[in-house]
PDB file of all heavy atoms in Angstrom:
ATOM      1  N   ALA A   1      63.826  99.070  83.846  1.00 97.00           N
ATOM      2  CA  ALA A   1      64.147  97.646  83.748  1.00 97.00           C
ATOM      3  C   ALA A   1      63.262  96.811  84.670  1.00 97.00           C
ATOM      4  O   ALA A   1      62.793  95.729  84.288  1.00 97.00           O
ATOM      5  CB  ALA A   1      65.621  97.423  84.075  1.00 97.00           C
ATOM      6  N   ILE A   2      63.006  97.313  85.862  1.00 96.00           N
ATOM      7  CA  ILE A   2      62.141  96.599  86.804  1.00 96.00           C
ATOM      8  C   ILE A   2      60.747  96.454  86.229  1.00 96.00           C
ATOM      9  O   ILE A   2      60.144  95.377  86.250  1.00 96.00           O
ATOM     10  CB  ILE A   2      62.111  97.331  88.164  1.00 96.00           C
ATOM     11  CG1 ILE A   2      63.462  97.172  88.867  1.00 96.00           C
ATOM     12  CG2 ILE A   2      60.965  96.826  89.039  1.00 96.00           C
ATOM     13  CD1 ILE A   2      63.648  98.095  90.062  1.00 96.00           C
ATOM     14  N   ARG A   3      60.222  97.528  85.700  1.00 96.00           N
ATOM     15  CA  ARG A   3      58.872  97.488  85.155  1.00 96.00           C
ATOM     16  C   ARG A   3      58.806  96.642  83.882  1.00 96.00           C
ATOM     17  O   ARG A   3      57.835  95.934  83.644  1.00 96.00           O
ATOM     18  CB  ARG A   3      58.361  98.900  84.923  1.00 96.00           C
ATOM     19  CG  ARG A   3      57.919  99.517  86.241  1.00 96.00           C
ATOM     20  CD  ARG A   3      58.006 101.003  86.286  1.00 96.00           C
ATOM     21  NE  ARG A   3      57.510 101.480  87.582  1.00 96.00           N
ATOM     22  CZ  ARG A   3      58.286 101.615  88.657  1.00 96.00           C
ATOM     23  NH1 ARG A   3      59.567 101.313  88.610  1.00 96.00           N
ATOM     24  NH2 ARG A   3      57.778 102.051  89.794  1.00 96.00           N
ATOM     25  N   GLN A   4      59.835  96.724  83.071  1.00 97.00           N
ATOM     26  CA  GLN A   4      59.860  95.913  81.853  1.00 97.00           C
ATOM     27  C   GLN A   4      59.887  94.433  82.214  1.00 97.00           C
ATOM     28  O   GLN A   4      59.164  93.632  81.614  1.00 97.00           O
ATOM     29  CB  GLN A   4      61.068  96.293  80.998  1.00 97.00           C
ATOM     30  CG  GLN A   4      61.084  95.614  79.656  1.00 97.00           C
ATOM     31  CD  GLN A   4      62.149  96.192  78.743  1.00 97.00           C
ATOM     32  OE1 GLN A   4      62.404  97.395  78.764  1.00 97.00           O
ATOM     33  NE2 GLN A   4      62.764  95.343  77.963  1.00 97.00           N
ATOM     34  N   PHE A   5      60.689  94.070  83.202  1.00 97.00           N
ATOM     35  CA  PHE A   5      60.753  92.662  83.588  1.00 97.00           C
ATOM     36  C   PHE A   5      59.421  92.187  84.169  1.00 97.00           C
ATOM     37  O   PHE A   5      58.958  91.091  83.867  1.00 97.00           O
ATOM     38  CB  PHE A   5      61.878  92.409  84.592  1.00 97.00           C
ATOM     39  CG  PHE A   5      61.899  90.988  85.058  1.00 97.00           C
ATOM     40  CD1 PHE A   5      62.354  89.981  84.224  1.00 97.00           C
ATOM     41  CD2 PHE A   5      61.403  90.648  86.302  1.00 97.00           C
ATOM     42  CE1 PHE A   5      62.333  88.656  84.622  1.00 97.00           C
ATOM     43  CE2 PHE A   5      61.387  89.334  86.722  1.00 97.00           C
ATOM     44  CZ  PHE A   5      61.846  88.328  85.888  1.00 97.00           C
ATOM     45  N   ARG A   6      58.806  93.021  84.988  1.00 96.00           N
ATOM     46  CA  ARG A   6      57.509  92.645  85.571  1.00 96.00           C
ATOM     47  C   ARG A   6      56.478  92.396  84.479  1.00 96.00           C
ATOM     48  O   ARG A   6      55.742  91.401  84.505  1.00 96.00           O
ATOM     49  CB  ARG A   6      57.030  93.746  86.500  1.00 96.00           C
ATOM     50  CG  ARG A   6      55.691  93.460  87.103  1.00 96.00           C
ATOM     51  CD  ARG A   6      55.310  94.530  88.119  1.00 96.00           C
ATOM     52  NE  ARG A   6      53.946  94.312  88.513  1.00 96.00           N
ATOM     53  CZ  ARG A   6      52.957  95.165  88.309  1.00 96.00           C
ATOM     54  NH1 ARG A   6      53.186  96.320  87.744  1.00 96.00           N
ATOM     55  NH2 ARG A   6      51.737  94.879  88.688  1.00 96.00           N
ATOM     56  N   LEU A   7      56.436  93.272  83.506  1.00 97.00           N
ATOM     57  CA  LEU A   7      55.504  93.115  82.403  1.00 97.00           C
ATOM     58  C   LEU A   7      55.850  91.868  81.586  1.00 97.00           C
ATOM     59  O   LEU A   7      54.969  91.085  81.212  1.00 97.00           O
ATOM     60  CB  LEU A   7      55.523  94.376  81.535  1.00 97.00           C
ATOM     61  CG  LEU A   7      54.493  94.522  80.440  1.00 97.00           C
ATOM     62  CD1 LEU A   7      53.077  94.340  80.960  1.00 97.00           C
ATOM     63  CD2 LEU A   7      54.641  95.891  79.775  1.00 97.00           C
ATOM     64  N   GLN A   8      57.140  91.659  81.325  1.00 97.00           N
ATOM     65  CA  GLN A   8      57.578  90.471  80.590  1.00 97.00           C
ATOM     66  C   GLN A   8      57.154  89.197  81.314  1.00 97.00           C
ATOM     67  O   GLN A   8      56.640  88.260  80.695  1.00 97.00           O
ATOM     68  CB  GLN A   8      59.096  90.469  80.422  1.00 97.00           C
ATOM     69  CG  GLN A   8      59.621  89.202  79.775  1.00 97.00           C
ATOM     70  CD  GLN A   8      61.130  89.164  79.697  1.00 97.00           C
ATOM     71  OE1 GLN A   8      61.809  90.149  79.980  1.00 97.00           O
ATOM     72  NE2 GLN A   8      61.675  88.031  79.326  1.00 97.00           N
ATOM     73  N   ARG A   9      57.366  89.154  82.613  1.00 97.00           N
ATOM     74  CA  ARG A   9      57.031  87.964  83.400  1.00 97.00           C
ATOM     75  C   ARG A   9      55.539  87.641  83.295  1.00 97.00           C
ATOM     76  O   ARG A   9      55.158  86.499  83.054  1.00 97.00           O
ATOM     77  CB  ARG A   9      57.439  88.204  84.856  1.00 97.00           C
ATOM     78  CG  ARG A   9      57.206  87.027  85.770  1.00 97.00           C
ATOM     79  CD  ARG A   9      57.428  87.389  87.219  1.00 97.00           C
ATOM     80  NE  ARG A   9      56.477  88.439  87.571  1.00 97.00           N
ATOM     81  CZ  ARG A   9      56.748  89.469  88.367  1.00 97.00           C
ATOM     82  NH1 ARG A   9      57.943  89.602  88.888  1.00 97.00           N
ATOM     83  NH2 ARG A   9      55.821  90.366  88.634  1.00 97.00           N
ATOM     84  N   ASP A  10      54.696  88.654  83.430  1.00 97.00           N
ATOM     85  CA  ASP A  10      53.252  88.417  83.371  1.00 97.00           C
ATOM     86  C   ASP A  10      52.792  88.069  81.958  1.00 97.00           C
ATOM     87  O   ASP A  10      51.902  87.233  81.786  1.00 97.00           O
ATOM     88  CB  ASP A  10      52.504  89.627  83.912  1.00 97.00           C
ATOM     89  CG  ASP A  10      52.499  89.678  85.429  1.00 97.00           C
ATOM     90  OD1 ASP A  10      53.478  89.237  86.059  1.00 97.00           O
ATOM     91  OD2 ASP A  10      51.516  90.163  85.989  1.00 97.00           O
ATOM     92  N   LEU A  11      53.388  88.711  80.963  1.00 98.00           N
ATOM     93  CA  LEU A  11      53.048  88.360  79.581  1.00 98.00           C
ATOM     94  C   LEU A  11      53.463  86.928  79.272  1.00 98.00           C
ATOM     95  O   LEU A  11      52.700  86.167  78.655  1.00 98.00           O
ATOM     96  CB  LEU A  11      53.710  89.331  78.604  1.00 98.00           C
ATOM     97  CG  LEU A  11      53.086  90.717  78.519  1.00 98.00           C
ATOM     98  CD1 LEU A  11      54.025  91.677  77.793  1.00 98.00           C
ATOM     99  CD2 LEU A  11      51.727  90.654  77.824  1.00 98.00           C
ATOM    100  N   ALA A  12      54.661  86.543  79.686  1.00 98.00           N
ATOM    101  CA  ALA A  12      55.133  85.177  79.440  1.00 98.00           C
ATOM    102  C   ALA A  12      54.221  84.160  80.113  1.00 98.00           C
ATOM    103  O   ALA A  12      53.882  83.127  79.516  1.00 98.00           O
ATOM    104  CB  ALA A  12      56.574  85.018  79.927  1.00 98.00           C
ATOM    105  N   ALA A  13      53.809  84.449  81.336  1.00 97.00           N
ATOM    106  CA  ALA A  13      52.897  83.537  82.038  1.00 97.00           C
ATOM    107  C   ALA A  13      51.587  83.388  81.258  1.00 97.00           C
ATOM    108  O   ALA A  13      51.042  82.287  81.144  1.00 97.00           O
ATOM    109  CB  ALA A  13      52.634  84.044  83.452  1.00 97.00           C
ATOM    110  N   ARG A  14      51.102  84.483  80.712  1.00 97.00           N
ATOM    111  CA  ARG A  14      49.873  84.427  79.914  1.00 97.00           C
ATOM    112  C   ARG A  14      50.086  83.574  78.670  1.00 97.00           C
ATOM    113  O   ARG A  14      49.248  82.740  78.308  1.00 97.00           O
ATOM    114  CB  ARG A  14      49.443  85.844  79.540  1.00 97.00           C
ATOM    115  CG  ARG A  14      48.417  85.963  78.435  1.00 97.00           C
ATOM    116  CD  ARG A  14      47.043  85.346  78.802  1.00 97.00           C
ATOM    117  NE  ARG A  14      46.181  85.366  77.649  1.00 97.00           N
ATOM    118  CZ  ARG A  14      45.446  86.398  77.263  1.00 97.00           C
ATOM    119  NH1 ARG A  14      45.439  87.508  77.965  1.00 97.00           N
ATOM    120  NH2 ARG A  14      44.701  86.310  76.187  1.00 97.00           N
ATOM    121  N   PHE A  15      51.210  83.787  77.985  1.00 97.00           N
ATOM    122  CA  PHE A  15      51.487  83.003  76.783  1.00 97.00           C
ATOM    123  C   PHE A  15      51.589  81.509  77.097  1.00 97.00           C
ATOM    124  O   PHE A  15      51.098  80.674  76.334  1.00 97.00           O
ATOM    125  CB  PHE A  15      52.765  83.489  76.095  1.00 97.00           C
ATOM    126  CG  PHE A  15      52.620  84.826  75.408  1.00 97.00           C
ATOM    127  CD1 PHE A  15      53.558  85.831  75.627  1.00 97.00           C
ATOM    128  CD2 PHE A  15      51.578  85.089  74.547  1.00 97.00           C
ATOM    129  CE1 PHE A  15      53.448  87.057  74.990  1.00 97.00           C
ATOM    130  CE2 PHE A  15      51.450  86.310  73.907  1.00 97.00           C
ATOM    131  CZ  PHE A  15      52.385  87.299  74.136  1.00 97.00           C
ATOM    132  N   VAL A  16      52.211  81.174  78.213  1.00 97.00           N
ATOM    133  CA  VAL A  16      52.319  79.765  78.612  1.00 97.00           C
ATOM    134  C   VAL A  16      50.929  79.200  78.893  1.00 97.00           C
ATOM    135  O   VAL A  16      50.605  78.087  78.464  1.00 97.00           O
ATOM    136  CB  VAL A  16      53.264  79.609  79.834  1.00 97.00           C
ATOM    137  CG1 VAL A  16      53.140  78.220  80.454  1.00 97.00           C
ATOM    138  CG2 VAL A  16      54.705  79.897  79.428  1.00 97.00           C
ATOM    139  N   ARG A  17      50.090  79.955  79.601  1.00 96.00           N
ATOM    140  CA  ARG A  17      48.708  79.510  79.858  1.00 96.00           C
ATOM    141  C   ARG A  17      47.958  79.277  78.553  1.00 96.00           C
ATOM    142  O   ARG A  17      47.107  78.401  78.462  1.00 96.00           O
ATOM    143  CB  ARG A  17      47.951  80.538  80.700  1.00 96.00           C
ATOM    144  CG  ARG A  17      48.201  80.454  82.171  1.00 96.00           C
ATOM    145  CD  ARG A  17      47.208  81.259  82.995  1.00 96.00           C
ATOM    146  NE  ARG A  17      46.996  82.622  82.540  1.00 96.00           N
ATOM    147  CZ  ARG A  17      47.749  83.670  82.870  1.00 96.00           C
ATOM    148  NH1 ARG A  17      48.796  83.511  83.651  1.00 96.00           N
ATOM    149  NH2 ARG A  17      47.462  84.876  82.418  1.00 96.00           N
ATOM    150  N   ASP A  18      48.308  80.078  77.538  1.00 96.00           N
ATOM    151  CA  ASP A  18      47.654  79.933  76.236  1.00 96.00           C
ATOM    152  C   ASP A  18      48.259  78.802  75.405  1.00 96.00           C
ATOM    153  O   ASP A  18      47.849  78.592  74.267  1.00 96.00           O
ATOM    154  CB  ASP A  18      47.734  81.244  75.451  1.00 96.00           C
ATOM    155  CG  ASP A  18      46.849  82.333  76.031  1.00 96.00           C
ATOM    156  OD1 ASP A  18      46.017  82.045  76.923  1.00 96.00           O
ATOM    157  OD2 ASP A  18      46.994  83.493  75.595  1.00 96.00           O
ATOM    158  N   GLY A  19      49.264  78.100  75.948  1.00 97.00           N
ATOM    159  CA  GLY A  19      49.830  76.946  75.271  1.00 97.00           C
ATOM    160  C   GLY A  19      51.146  77.177  74.547  1.00 97.00           C
ATOM    161  O   GLY A  19      51.637  76.271  73.874  1.00 97.00           O
ATOM    162  N   MET A  20      51.729  78.334  74.659  1.00 98.00           N
ATOM    163  CA  MET A  20      52.998  78.623  73.996  1.00 98.00           C
ATOM    164  C   MET A  20      54.135  77.965  74.783  1.00 98.00           C
ATOM    165  O   MET A  20      54.112  77.968  76.012  1.00 98.00           O
ATOM    166  CB  MET A  20      53.213  80.141  73.930  1.00 98.00           C
ATOM    167  CG  MET A  20      54.407  80.567  73.089  1.00 98.00           C
ATOM    168  SD  MET A  20      54.605  82.383  73.040  1.00 98.00           S
ATOM    169  CE  MET A  20      53.296  82.839  71.904  1.00 98.00           C
ATOM    170  N   PRO A  21      55.131  77.402  74.096  1.00 98.00           N
ATOM    171  CA  PRO A  21      56.290  76.857  74.798  1.00 98.00           C
ATOM    172  C   PRO A  21      56.982  77.946  75.631  1.00 98.00           C
ATOM    173  O   PRO A  21      56.978  79.123  75.269  1.00 98.00           O
ATOM    174  CB  PRO A  21      57.210  76.373  73.672  1.00 98.00           C
ATOM    175  CG  PRO A  21      56.306  76.186  72.505  1.00 98.00           C
ATOM    176  CD  PRO A  21      55.218  77.204  72.648  1.00 98.00           C
ATOM    177  N   GLU A  22      57.575  77.543  76.752  1.00 98.00           N
ATOM    178  CA  GLU A  22      58.109  78.497  77.722  1.00 98.00           C
ATOM    179  C   GLU A  22      59.149  79.450  77.132  1.00 98.00           C
ATOM    180  O   GLU A  22      59.088  80.660  77.376  1.00 98.00           O
ATOM    181  CB  GLU A  22      58.710  77.743  78.918  1.00 98.00           C
ATOM    182  CG  GLU A  22      58.875  78.637  80.113  1.00 98.00           C
ATOM    183  CD  GLU A  22      59.155  77.851  81.367  1.00 98.00           C
ATOM    184  OE1 GLU A  22      58.491  76.833  81.616  1.00 98.00           O
ATOM    185  OE2 GLU A  22      60.050  78.291  82.107  1.00 98.00           O
ATOM    186  N   LEU A  23      60.092  78.946  76.349  1.00 98.00           N
ATOM    187  CA  LEU A  23      61.111  79.826  75.772  1.00 98.00           C
ATOM    188  C   LEU A  23      60.472  80.835  74.826  1.00 98.00           C
ATOM    189  O   LEU A  23      60.769  82.040  74.882  1.00 98.00           O
ATOM    190  CB  LEU A  23      62.187  79.019  75.038  1.00 98.00           C
ATOM    191  CG  LEU A  23      63.274  79.841  74.355  1.00 98.00           C
ATOM    192  CD1 LEU A  23      64.024  80.711  75.369  1.00 98.00           C
ATOM    193  CD2 LEU A  23      64.231  78.927  73.597  1.00 98.00           C
ATOM    194  N   SER A  24      59.588  80.377  73.995  1.00 98.00           N
ATOM    195  CA  SER A  24      58.886  81.282  73.079  1.00 98.00           C
ATOM    196  C   SER A  24      58.093  82.326  73.849  1.00 98.00           C
ATOM    197  O   SER A  24      58.064  83.506  73.481  1.00 98.00           O
ATOM    198  CB  SER A  24      57.937  80.502  72.172  1.00 98.00           C
ATOM    199  OG  SER A  24      58.655  79.589  71.376  1.00 98.00           O
ATOM    200  N   ALA A  25      57.461  81.904  74.941  1.00 98.00           N
ATOM    201  CA  ALA A  25      56.676  82.822  75.766  1.00 98.00           C
ATOM    202  C   ALA A  25      57.562  83.897  76.386  1.00 98.00           C
ATOM    203  O   ALA A  25      57.195  85.081  76.413  1.00 98.00           O
ATOM    204  CB  ALA A  25      55.940  82.042  76.850  1.00 98.00           C
ATOM    205  N   GLU A  26      58.724  83.506  76.870  1.00 98.00           N
ATOM    206  CA  GLU A  26      59.657  84.477  77.468  1.00 98.00           C
ATOM    207  C   GLU A  26      60.146  85.483  76.423  1.00 98.00           C
ATOM    208  O   GLU A  26      60.199  86.683  76.687  1.00 98.00           O
ATOM    209  CB  GLU A  26      60.864  83.763  78.085  1.00 98.00           C
ATOM    210  CG  GLU A  26      60.569  83.053  79.374  1.00 98.00           C
ATOM    211  CD  GLU A  26      60.305  84.003  80.539  1.00 98.00           C
ATOM    212  OE1 GLU A  26      60.846  85.129  80.558  1.00 98.00           O
ATOM    213  OE2 GLU A  26      59.548  83.600  81.435  1.00 98.00           O
ATOM    214  N   VAL A  27      60.497  84.989  75.252  1.00 98.00           N
ATOM    215  CA  VAL A  27      60.998  85.874  74.196  1.00 98.00           C
ATOM    216  C   VAL A  27      59.886  86.821  73.729  1.00 98.00           C
ATOM    217  O   VAL A  27      60.106  88.031  73.594  1.00 98.00           O
ATOM    218  CB  VAL A  27      61.580  85.056  73.017  1.00 98.00           C
ATOM    219  CG1 VAL A  27      61.893  85.951  71.833  1.00 98.00           C
ATOM    220  CG2 VAL A  27      62.824  84.300  73.474  1.00 98.00           C
ATOM    221  N   ARG A  28      58.715  86.285  73.490  1.00 98.00           N
ATOM    222  CA  ARG A  28      57.594  87.131  73.038  1.00 98.00           C
ATOM    223  C   ARG A  28      57.211  88.149  74.109  1.00 98.00           C
ATOM    224  O   ARG A  28      56.979  89.321  73.813  1.00 98.00           O
ATOM    225  CB  ARG A  28      56.396  86.240  72.684  1.00 98.00           C
ATOM    226  CG  ARG A  28      55.208  87.000  72.161  1.00 98.00           C
ATOM    227  CD  ARG A  28      55.430  87.452  70.729  1.00 98.00           C
ATOM    228  NE  ARG A  28      54.224  88.107  70.264  1.00 98.00           N
ATOM    229  CZ  ARG A  28      54.210  89.301  69.674  1.00 98.00           C
ATOM    230  NH1 ARG A  28      55.334  89.931  69.431  1.00 98.00           N
ATOM    231  NH2 ARG A  28      53.090  89.836  69.294  1.00 98.00           N
ATOM    232  N   GLY A  29      57.164  87.710  75.355  1.00 98.00           N
ATOM    233  CA  GLY A  29      56.864  88.620  76.459  1.00 98.00           C
ATOM    234  C   GLY A  29      57.916  89.708  76.582  1.00 98.00           C
ATOM    235  O   GLY A  29      57.597  90.877  76.828  1.00 98.00           O
ATOM    236  N   GLY A  30      59.191  89.327  76.388  1.00 98.00           N
ATOM    237  CA  GLY A  30      60.269  90.314  76.438  1.00 98.00           C
ATOM    238  C   GLY A  30      60.167  91.328  75.323  1.00 98.00           C
ATOM    239  O   GLY A  30      60.370  92.531  75.537  1.00 98.00           O
ATOM    240  N   ALA A  31      59.842  90.873  74.139  1.00 98.00           N
ATOM    241  CA  ALA A  31      59.719  91.789  72.995  1.00 98.00           C
ATOM    242  C   ALA A  31      58.568  92.770  73.210  1.00 98.00           C
ATOM    243  O   ALA A  31      58.719  93.977  72.978  1.00 98.00           O
ATOM    244  CB  ALA A  31      59.509  90.993  71.706  1.00 98.00           C
ATOM    245  N   LEU A  32      57.441  92.270  73.679  1.00 98.00           N
ATOM    246  CA  LEU A  32      56.285  93.156  73.886  1.00 98.00           C
ATOM    247  C   LEU A  32      56.519  94.137  75.035  1.00 98.00           C
ATOM    248  O   LEU A  32      56.170  95.313  74.930  1.00 98.00           O
ATOM    249  CB  LEU A  32      55.023  92.336  74.132  1.00 98.00           C
ATOM    250  CG  LEU A  32      54.505  91.551  72.938  1.00 98.00           C
ATOM    251  CD1 LEU A  32      53.300  90.695  73.330  1.00 98.00           C
ATOM    252  CD2 LEU A  32      54.155  92.470  71.775  1.00 98.00           C
TER     253      LEU A  32
END
């Protein structure tokens, strides 16, 4: 769970930098 959350957090940050809305970025990062 710790590693999954860390990966999700960094993926979401990347998606936000790429212009994705924050909620969408969190969900997509969580799924990946």
